[in-house]
Amino acid sequence: MTETVFADDAAIAKAVELLNQGRLVAFPTETVYGLGADAGSAEAVTGIFKAKGRPVDHPLIVHIASSTQLSDWANMVPETAQRLAKRFWPGPLTLILKKRPEVPNEVTGGQDTVGLRIPDNPVALRLLRAFGGGIAAPSANRFKRVSPTQASHVAEELDGLVDLILDGGPCRVGVESTIIDLSGASPLLLRPGSISKAEIEQVLQCELTEISTTNNDTPRAPGQMAVHYAPSTPTRLCPSEQLNDTIRQLAEQGKKIGLLAYRFEWNSSMTIIQLPETAEAYAQGLYAALRELDRQRLDIILVEQPPESNEWHAINDRLKKAATAF
Ligand code: TXA
Ligand code: MG
């Protein structure tokens, strides 16, 4: 059994001790909970892949406490990186930069680049400052599963596989960080997040190319794989206006249906989770809702298609990845 502890000073000290021993500590960030290990230790980082069941060629994000640490990991810190860091860190933004030779290959999945970010969460920052070095951390879920946004989700995923879970309450943002690749000739958006493409473009004063996330078997970012962030229950996106018909048809087939709605109103005995109508609040509750529906032993989870506008971009990206072929 893994212990989950309220993240007070004693718990942070314990976590630092474990990290120094090459062990694994789950901790909150503003996006999702991370599964952390000492990023300077190849052996420690290997433990992350074992616990998650994640292929070793999938690179990890190194979390740091201060921009002054960028040069410990990145070979070259372009001026664009400094501008983005200044504007958005601490915050839900990951920068991909050319790595220093000393950065363990285990961290970068064998690539010559490294992902870096300063998370905007008080527990994460206290842990990073107390530890001193970089903490490599993917989302604290088993490979291909829904990311955890509460300490209890981590326990559901990784009980017995992680040495300590720091409880810092529910995550504020709820979807993973925006990833920008600055290692090439022009900046690329590898994963949409709550910091939008337009906000990044405004700081960079240039256009950002978004790497298409579908039909891509050998992605630069594992988050780009089509099946990711998925509940075990078959999940399908459905436009609001088709929900009534779809629900009727599925009910006629004797299917047990769950619905993740944001606007739709339906009075039946069906399991319904209603999420808020603003993108920000919807994102915050999304993964907990998918987890809750996944627990109900349903035949299918229907997700009411949210709007396709910019502020819903990261949410739609994750929903498309959660939705299975139907
Ligand atoms: O919000 C987040 O980013 C959370 C919290 C814990 O910080 N972390 C997270 O980690 O989502 P993970 O491992 O689930 O997703 C990290 C993504 C992957 O898609 C990975 O491929 C990409 O970052 N990534 C990391 N290093 C990379 C690199 N050098 N080149 C390209 N992609 C990279
Ligand atoms: Mg993940």
Side-chain angles (χ1 to χ4, degrees), residues 52 54 138-139 141 145 147 176 191 228-229:
K52 281 196 63 136
R54 171 164 163 154
S139 52
N141 50 279
R145 300 252 310 136
S147 294
E176 302 82 351
R191 180 173 71 184
H228 211 81
Y229 315 104

Side-chain angles (χ1 to χ4, degrees), residues 12-25:
I12 299 273
K14 175 88 195 292
V16 168
E17 194 185 312
L18 287 167
L19 290 172
N20 279 324
Q21 291 166 5
R23 314 268 288 273
L24 304 181
V25 173

Side-chain angles (χ1 to χ4, degrees), residues 184-198:
S186 56
L188 303 174
L189 173 62
L190 296 189
R191 180 173 71 184
S194 64
I195 296 177
S196 71
K197 186 164 175 273

Side-chain angles (χ1 to χ4, degrees), residues 36 44 47-48 56 63 68 71 77 93 98 110 126 148-149 217 220-221 235 239 252 260 262 295 297 309 317 319:
I48 292 178
V56 293
H63 297 70
T68 57
S71 52
V77 182
L93 175 71
K98 288 278 185 216
R126 272 159 61 216
T149 51
D217 295 340
R220 297 230 22 209
T235 301
E252 275 166 20
L260 185 59
Y262 84 103
R295 264 196 291 270
R297 300 177 181 282
S309 60
D317 171 77
L319 286 177

Side-chain angles (χ1 to χ4, degrees), residues 173 175 276-285 307 309-313 315:
V173 175
V175 295
E277 282 197 49
T278 64
E280 202 181 317
Y282 185 108
Q284 206 171 55
S309 60
N310 281 341
E311 50 175 348
W312 292 83
H313 186 51
I315 292 165

Side-chain angles (χ1 to χ4, degrees), residues 88-157:
F88 296 113
W89 281 352
L93 175 71
T94 296
L95 299 178
I96 309 292
L97 304 173
K98 288 278 185 216
K99 80 173 189 84
R100 287 180 71 101
E102 311 87 89
V103 180
N105 277 320
E106 284 75 5
V107 171
T108 64
Q111 309 215 32
D112 65 351
T113 53
V114 60
L116 292 153
R117 92 176 186 98
I118 305 181
D120 184 20
N121 174 285
V123 173
L125 288 170
R126 272 159 61 216
L127 177 67
L128 285 163
R129 286 185 195 123
F131 180 61
I135 300 180
S139 52
N141 50 279
R142 300 273 300 164
F143 183 52
K144 287 193 179 175
R145 300 252 310 136
V146 177
S147 294
T149 51
Q150 298 171 21
S152 62
H153 299 166
V154 181
E156 268 169 43
E157 292 284 322

